[in-house]
Amino acid sequence: SQAGREFFCLPICWYKNMRTSRPVGDAAPRGLEITIRQSHGAFPLWSYKREETAAGWQQERSLLWFLYDQRQEAGAVRRHAYVRHRVLWHLYHYEKLNGDVSVDMLPGITYDARTDGFRKTSFLWRAFRWERSPEGKRKLDLLFVPLIRDE
């Protein structure tokens, strides 16, 4: 079954708030799988979408069409958490998945950090790169020349 509200004023704005339930499983007692969907926006100013189930949720937002967007999701079954923020796709791009972080910025600046202790910062790939492994080994490149290599 489905219940909720919808409003569309094309081409500029919309609103939707729906709750859907359906039976799950063949044997008694049967359960219900409930999905909640929400969305609203005013093109091109903003848009928002969110979907929730028993397995987890995901959410997407954007402002001024392509200027800024965000995505978040978390799973109860698969145990994951994901966050992404972007400005003009890759002018600034931040991602975090289960604690591992990756940041990219133009012109060619990157930062990576993982939960195991790995860290890396670079500018124009190897024009400058500093890296530290989980074991504490270091790497340094300057103007594409390797200066430090711990073995």
Side-chain angles (χ1 to χ4, degrees), residues 66-69 85-94 103-110:
F66 295 119
L67 183 64
Y68 172 79
D69 74 272
H85 300 275
R86 296 188 301 192
V87 175
L88 291 174
W89 280 308
H90 261 76
L91 185 64
Y92 174 80
H93 186 107
Y94 170 91
V103 179
D104 298 321
M105 293 178 283
L106 286 177
I109 299 168
T110 63

PDB file of all heavy atoms in Angstrom, residues 66-69 85-94 103-110:
ATOM      1  N   PHE A  66      24.357  22.758 -10.176  1.00  0.00           N
ATOM      2  CA  PHE A  66      25.627  22.034 -10.102  1.00  0.00           C
ATOM      3  C   PHE A  66      26.629  22.662  -9.138  1.00  0.00           C
ATOM      4  O   PHE A  66      27.725  22.162  -8.984  1.00  0.00           O
ATOM      5  CB  PHE A  66      26.290  21.960 -11.481  1.00  0.00           C
ATOM      6  CG  PHE A  66      25.507  21.156 -12.466  1.00  0.00           C
ATOM      7  CD1 PHE A  66      25.021  21.734 -13.617  1.00  0.00           C
ATOM      8  CD2 PHE A  66      25.249  19.820 -12.236  1.00  0.00           C
ATOM      9  CE1 PHE A  66      24.299  21.002 -14.529  1.00  0.00           C
ATOM     10  CE2 PHE A  66      24.525  19.080 -13.130  1.00  0.00           C
ATOM     11  CZ  PHE A  66      24.046  19.666 -14.290  1.00  0.00           C
ATOM     12  N   LEU A  67      26.284  23.768  -8.521  1.00  0.00           N
ATOM     13  CA  LEU A  67      27.249  24.456  -7.674  1.00  0.00           C
ATOM     14  C   LEU A  67      27.674  23.595  -6.487  1.00  0.00           C
ATOM     15  O   LEU A  67      28.856  23.438  -6.210  1.00  0.00           O
ATOM     16  CB  LEU A  67      26.680  25.784  -7.176  1.00  0.00           C
ATOM     17  CG  LEU A  67      27.640  26.617  -6.332  1.00  0.00           C
ATOM     18  CD1 LEU A  67      28.839  27.035  -7.166  1.00  0.00           C
ATOM     19  CD2 LEU A  67      26.934  27.826  -5.769  1.00  0.00           C
ATOM     20  N   TYR A  68      26.720  23.002  -5.769  1.00  0.00           N
ATOM     21  CA  TYR A  68      27.045  22.186  -4.601  1.00  0.00           C
ATOM     22  C   TYR A  68      26.097  20.994  -4.537  1.00  0.00           C
ATOM     23  O   TYR A  68      24.901  21.140  -4.754  1.00  0.00           O
ATOM     24  CB  TYR A  68      26.899  23.004  -3.313  1.00  0.00           C
ATOM     25  CG  TYR A  68      27.023  22.180  -2.058  1.00  0.00           C
ATOM     26  CD1 TYR A  68      28.265  21.794  -1.590  1.00  0.00           C
ATOM     27  CD2 TYR A  68      25.898  21.761  -1.364  1.00  0.00           C
ATOM     28  CE1 TYR A  68      28.393  21.022  -0.442  1.00  0.00           C
ATOM     29  CE2 TYR A  68      26.015  20.993  -0.220  1.00  0.00           C
ATOM     30  CZ  TYR A  68      27.264  20.630   0.229  1.00  0.00           C
ATOM     31  OH  TYR A  68      27.382  19.855   1.357  1.00  0.00           O
ATOM     32  N   ASP A  69      26.636  19.835  -4.271  1.00  0.00           N
ATOM     33  CA  ASP A  69      25.778  18.690  -4.002  1.00  0.00           C
ATOM     34  C   ASP A  69      26.375  17.817  -2.914  1.00  0.00           C
ATOM     35  O   ASP A  69      27.577  17.830  -2.678  1.00  0.00           O
ATOM     36  CB  ASP A  69      25.465  17.884  -5.268  1.00  0.00           C
ATOM     37  CG  ASP A  69      26.616  17.052  -5.749  1.00  0.00           C
ATOM     38  OD1 ASP A  69      27.436  17.572  -6.527  1.00  0.00           O
ATOM     39  OD2 ASP A  69      26.687  15.881  -5.361  1.00  0.00           O
ATOM     40  N   HIS A  85      30.647  15.359  -0.515  1.00  0.00           N
ATOM     41  CA  HIS A  85      30.358  16.774  -0.752  1.00  0.00           C
ATOM     42  C   HIS A  85      31.120  17.184  -2.010  1.00  0.00           C
ATOM     43  O   HIS A  85      32.299  16.855  -2.131  1.00  0.00           O
ATOM     44  CB  HIS A  85      30.845  17.659   0.397  1.00  0.00           C
ATOM     45  CG  HIS A  85      30.221  17.338   1.713  1.00  0.00           C
ATOM     46  ND1 HIS A  85      29.011  17.854   2.103  1.00  0.00           N
ATOM     47  CD2 HIS A  85      30.629  16.559   2.734  1.00  0.00           C
ATOM     48  CE1 HIS A  85      28.707  17.408   3.295  1.00  0.00           C
ATOM     49  NE2 HIS A  85      29.679  16.613   3.714  1.00  0.00           N
ATOM     50  N   ARG A  86      30.447  17.886  -2.920  1.00  0.00           N
ATOM     51  CA  ARG A  86      31.125  18.349  -4.134  1.00  0.00           C
ATOM     52  C   ARG A  86      30.734  19.793  -4.432  1.00  0.00           C
ATOM     53  O   ARG A  86      29.581  20.170  -4.275  1.00  0.00           O
ATOM     54  CB  ARG A  86      30.739  17.503  -5.350  1.00  0.00           C
ATOM     55  CG  ARG A  86      31.169  16.079  -5.265  1.00  0.00           C
ATOM     56  CD  ARG A  86      30.941  15.334  -6.536  1.00  0.00           C
ATOM     57  NE  ARG A  86      29.532  15.337  -6.934  1.00  0.00           N
ATOM     58  CZ  ARG A  86      29.039  14.556  -7.881  1.00  0.00           C
ATOM     59  NH1 ARG A  86      29.824  13.715  -8.523  1.00  0.00           N
ATOM     60  NH2 ARG A  86      27.768  14.609  -8.195  1.00  0.00           N
ATOM     61  N   VAL A  87      31.714  20.555  -4.881  1.00  0.00           N
ATOM     62  CA  VAL A  87      31.481  21.895  -5.397  1.00  0.00           C
ATOM     63  C   VAL A  87      31.911  21.872  -6.855  1.00  0.00           C
ATOM     64  O   VAL A  87      33.055  21.518  -7.152  1.00  0.00           O
ATOM     65  CB  VAL A  87      32.277  22.954  -4.607  1.00  0.00           C
ATOM     66  CG1 VAL A  87      32.119  24.327  -5.230  1.00  0.00           C
ATOM     67  CG2 VAL A  87      31.846  22.958  -3.147  1.00  0.00           C
ATOM     68  N   LEU A  88      30.997  22.219  -7.737  1.00  0.00           N
ATOM     69  CA  LEU A  88      31.251  22.164  -9.187  1.00  0.00           C
ATOM     70  C   LEU A  88      31.938  20.855  -9.576  1.00  0.00           C
ATOM     71  O   LEU A  88      32.993  20.850 -10.184  1.00  0.00           O
ATOM     72  CB  LEU A  88      32.071  23.372  -9.645  1.00  0.00           C
ATOM     73  CG  LEU A  88      31.346  24.702  -9.600  1.00  0.00           C
ATOM     74  CD1 LEU A  88      32.310  25.825  -9.942  1.00  0.00           C
ATOM     75  CD2 LEU A  88      30.176  24.716 -10.554  1.00  0.00           C
ATOM     76  N   TRP A  89      31.332  19.752  -9.223  1.00  0.00           N
ATOM     77  CA  TRP A  89      31.798  18.383  -9.419  1.00  0.00           C
ATOM     78  C   TRP A  89      33.158  18.118  -8.784  1.00  0.00           C
ATOM     79  O   TRP A  89      33.235  17.402  -7.825  1.00  0.00           O
ATOM     80  CB  TRP A  89      31.822  17.994 -10.889  1.00  0.00           C
ATOM     81  CG  TRP A  89      30.485  17.630 -11.403  1.00  0.00           C
ATOM     82  CD1 TRP A  89      29.616  16.721 -10.863  1.00  0.00           C
ATOM     83  CD2 TRP A  89      29.839  18.158 -12.533  1.00  0.00           C
ATOM     84  NE1 TRP A  89      28.476  16.665 -11.596  1.00  0.00           N
ATOM     85  CE2 TRP A  89      28.587  17.543 -12.633  1.00  0.00           C
ATOM     86  CE3 TRP A  89      30.195  19.099 -13.467  1.00  0.00           C
ATOM     87  CZ2 TRP A  89      27.699  17.823 -13.631  1.00  0.00           C
ATOM     88  CZ3 TRP A  89      29.308  19.379 -14.466  1.00  0.00           C
ATOM     89  CH2 TRP A  89      28.081  18.745 -14.538  1.00  0.00           C
ATOM     90  N   HIS A  90      34.261  18.665  -9.332  1.00  0.00           N
ATOM     91  CA  HIS A  90      35.571  18.349  -8.772  1.00  0.00           C
ATOM     92  C   HIS A  90      36.400  19.571  -8.393  1.00  0.00           C
ATOM     93  O   HIS A  90      37.584  19.433  -8.134  1.00  0.00           O
ATOM     94  CB  HIS A  90      36.369  17.454  -9.724  1.00  0.00           C
ATOM     95  CG  HIS A  90      36.300  16.020  -9.325  1.00  0.00           C
ATOM     96  ND1 HIS A  90      35.201  15.235  -9.547  1.00  0.00           N
ATOM     97  CD2 HIS A  90      37.178  15.224  -8.687  1.00  0.00           C
ATOM     98  CE1 HIS A  90      35.419  14.019  -9.079  1.00  0.00           C
ATOM     99  NE2 HIS A  90      36.611  13.992  -8.549  1.00  0.00           N
ATOM    100  N   LEU A  91      35.819  20.746  -8.373  1.00  0.00           N
ATOM    101  CA  LEU A  91      36.563  21.885  -7.850  1.00  0.00           C
ATOM    102  C   LEU A  91      36.935  21.573  -6.404  1.00  0.00           C
ATOM    103  O   LEU A  91      38.054  21.796  -5.970  1.00  0.00           O
ATOM    104  CB  LEU A  91      35.726  23.159  -7.932  1.00  0.00           C
ATOM    105  CG  LEU A  91      36.427  24.435  -7.524  1.00  0.00           C
ATOM    106  CD1 LEU A  91      37.578  24.734  -8.480  1.00  0.00           C
ATOM    107  CD2 LEU A  91      35.445  25.592  -7.520  1.00  0.00           C
ATOM    108  N   TYR A  92      35.987  21.024  -5.673  1.00  0.00           N
ATOM    109  CA  TYR A  92      36.227  20.476  -4.331  1.00  0.00           C
ATOM    110  C   TYR A  92      35.404  19.203  -4.235  1.00  0.00           C
ATOM    111  O   TYR A  92      34.203  19.210  -4.500  1.00  0.00           O
ATOM    112  CB  TYR A  92      35.792  21.468  -3.257  1.00  0.00           C
ATOM    113  CG  TYR A  92      35.875  20.903  -1.851  1.00  0.00           C
ATOM    114  CD1 TYR A  92      37.087  20.839  -1.182  1.00  0.00           C
ATOM    115  CD2 TYR A  92      34.743  20.414  -1.217  1.00  0.00           C
ATOM    116  CE1 TYR A  92      37.166  20.316   0.106  1.00  0.00           C
ATOM    117  CE2 TYR A  92      34.820  19.888   0.064  1.00  0.00           C
ATOM    118  CZ  TYR A  92      36.034  19.845   0.714  1.00  0.00           C
ATOM    119  OH  TYR A  92      36.113  19.323   1.981  1.00  0.00           O
ATOM    120  N   HIS A  93      36.042  18.087  -3.890  1.00  0.00           N
ATOM    121  CA  HIS A  93      35.377  16.791  -3.820  1.00  0.00           C
ATOM    122  C   HIS A  93      35.831  16.073  -2.549  1.00  0.00           C
ATOM    123  O   HIS A  93      37.005  15.749  -2.407  1.00  0.00           O
ATOM    124  CB  HIS A  93      35.755  15.956  -5.048  1.00  0.00           C
ATOM    125  CG  HIS A  93      35.017  14.668  -5.149  1.00  0.00           C
ATOM    126  ND1 HIS A  93      34.032  14.453  -6.070  1.00  0.00           N
ATOM    127  CD2 HIS A  93      35.109  13.526  -4.444  1.00  0.00           C
ATOM    128  CE1 HIS A  93      33.558  13.230  -5.929  1.00  0.00           C
ATOM    129  NE2 HIS A  93      34.204  12.652  -4.946  1.00  0.00           N
ATOM    130  N   TYR A  94      34.904  15.861  -1.626  1.00  0.00           N
ATOM    131  CA  TYR A  94      35.194  15.201  -0.350  1.00  0.00           C
ATOM    132  C   TYR A  94      34.377  13.922  -0.282  1.00  0.00           C
ATOM    133  O   TYR A  94      33.175  13.941  -0.525  1.00  0.00           O
ATOM    134  CB  TYR A  94      34.798  16.130   0.800  1.00  0.00           C
ATOM    135  CG  TYR A  94      34.830  15.480   2.168  1.00  0.00           C
ATOM    136  CD1 TYR A  94      35.975  15.519   2.943  1.00  0.00           C
ATOM    137  CD2 TYR A  94      33.712  14.832   2.686  1.00  0.00           C
ATOM    138  CE1 TYR A  94      36.007  14.942   4.201  1.00  0.00           C
ATOM    139  CE2 TYR A  94      33.733  14.249   3.941  1.00  0.00           C
ATOM    140  CZ  TYR A  94      34.886  14.301   4.693  1.00  0.00           C
ATOM    141  OH  TYR A  94      34.917  13.717   5.933  1.00  0.00           O
ATOM    142  N   VAL A 103      40.022  13.690  -0.281  1.00  0.00           N
ATOM    143  CA  VAL A 103      39.687  15.066  -0.656  1.00  0.00           C
ATOM    144  C   VAL A 103      40.472  15.406  -1.915  1.00  0.00           C
ATOM    145  O   VAL A 103      41.687  15.199  -1.958  1.00  0.00           O
ATOM    146  CB  VAL A 103      40.039  16.067   0.472  1.00  0.00           C
ATOM    147  CG1 VAL A 103      39.706  17.478   0.042  1.00  0.00           C
ATOM    148  CG2 VAL A 103      39.335  15.704   1.757  1.00  0.00           C
ATOM    149  N   ASP A 104      39.785  15.929  -2.930  1.00  0.00           N
ATOM    150  CA  ASP A 104      40.420  16.388  -4.165  1.00  0.00           C
ATOM    151  C   ASP A 104      39.998  17.825  -4.409  1.00  0.00           C
ATOM    152  O   ASP A 104      38.814  18.152  -4.298  1.00  0.00           O
ATOM    153  CB  ASP A 104      39.980  15.546  -5.372  1.00  0.00           C
ATOM    154  CG  ASP A 104      40.368  14.088  -5.239  1.00  0.00           C
ATOM    155  OD1 ASP A 104      41.463  13.827  -4.742  1.00  0.00           O
ATOM    156  OD2 ASP A 104      39.562  13.233  -5.636  1.00  0.00           O
ATOM    157  N   MET A 105      40.974  18.670  -4.753  1.00  0.00           N
ATOM    158  CA  MET A 105      40.701  20.067  -5.071  1.00  0.00           C
ATOM    159  C   MET A 105      41.499  20.448  -6.303  1.00  0.00           C
ATOM    160  O   MET A 105      42.631  19.986  -6.472  1.00  0.00           O
ATOM    161  CB  MET A 105      41.104  20.982  -3.916  1.00  0.00           C
ATOM    162  CG  MET A 105      40.272  20.812  -2.672  1.00  0.00           C
ATOM    163  SD  MET A 105      40.821  21.868  -1.329  1.00  0.00           S
ATOM    164  CE  MET A 105      42.266  20.979  -0.756  1.00  0.00           C
ATOM    165  N   LEU A 106      40.906  21.275  -7.124  1.00  0.00           N
ATOM    166  CA  LEU A 106      41.659  21.782  -8.257  1.00  0.00           C
ATOM    167  C   LEU A 106      42.546  22.912  -7.769  1.00  0.00           C
ATOM    168  O   LEU A 106      42.147  23.663  -6.889  1.00  0.00           O
ATOM    169  CB  LEU A 106      40.710  22.287  -9.346  1.00  0.00           C
ATOM    170  CG  LEU A 106      40.018  21.194 -10.133  1.00  0.00           C
ATOM    171  CD1 LEU A 106      39.051  21.815 -11.119  1.00  0.00           C
ATOM    172  CD2 LEU A 106      40.989  20.305 -10.848  1.00  0.00           C
ATOM    173  N   PRO A 107      43.750  23.079  -8.235  1.00  0.00           N
ATOM    174  CA  PRO A 107      44.416  22.367  -9.305  1.00  0.00           C
ATOM    175  C   PRO A 107      45.286  21.227  -8.783  1.00  0.00           C
ATOM    176  O   PRO A 107      46.418  21.443  -8.367  1.00  0.00           O
ATOM    177  CB  PRO A 107      45.280  23.429  -9.951  1.00  0.00           C
ATOM    178  CG  PRO A 107      45.686  24.308  -8.792  1.00  0.00           C
ATOM    179  CD  PRO A 107      44.530  24.266  -7.828  1.00  0.00           C
ATOM    180  N   GLY A 108      44.814  20.043  -8.751  1.00  0.00           N
ATOM    181  CA  GLY A 108      45.613  18.860  -8.452  1.00  0.00           C
ATOM    182  C   GLY A 108      46.057  18.681  -7.016  1.00  0.00           C
ATOM    183  O   GLY A 108      47.119  18.126  -6.767  1.00  0.00           O
ATOM    184  N   ILE A 109      45.271  19.111  -6.046  1.00  0.00           N
ATOM    185  CA  ILE A 109      45.604  18.918  -4.639  1.00  0.00           C
ATOM    186  C   ILE A 109      44.779  17.750  -4.123  1.00  0.00           C
ATOM    187  O   ILE A 109      43.565  17.714  -4.296  1.00  0.00           O
ATOM    188  CB  ILE A 109      45.294  20.179  -3.805  1.00  0.00           C
ATOM    189  CG1 ILE A 109      46.112  21.356  -4.316  1.00  0.00           C
ATOM    190  CG2 ILE A 109      45.559  19.933  -2.332  1.00  0.00           C
ATOM    191  CD1 ILE A 109      45.685  22.685  -3.755  1.00  0.00           C
ATOM    192  N   THR A 110      45.424  16.772  -3.499  1.00  0.00           N
ATOM    193  CA  THR A 110      44.707  15.622  -2.958  1.00  0.00           C
ATOM    194  C   THR A 110      45.161  15.328  -1.536  1.00  0.00           C
ATOM    195  O   THR A 110      46.307  15.601  -1.160  1.00  0.00           O
ATOM    196  CB  THR A 110      44.931  14.348  -3.803  1.00  0.00           C
ATOM    197  OG1 THR A 110      46.315  13.999  -3.771  1.00  0.00           O
ATOM    198  CG2 THR A 110      44.479  14.535  -5.227  1.00  0.00           C
TER     199      THR A 110
END
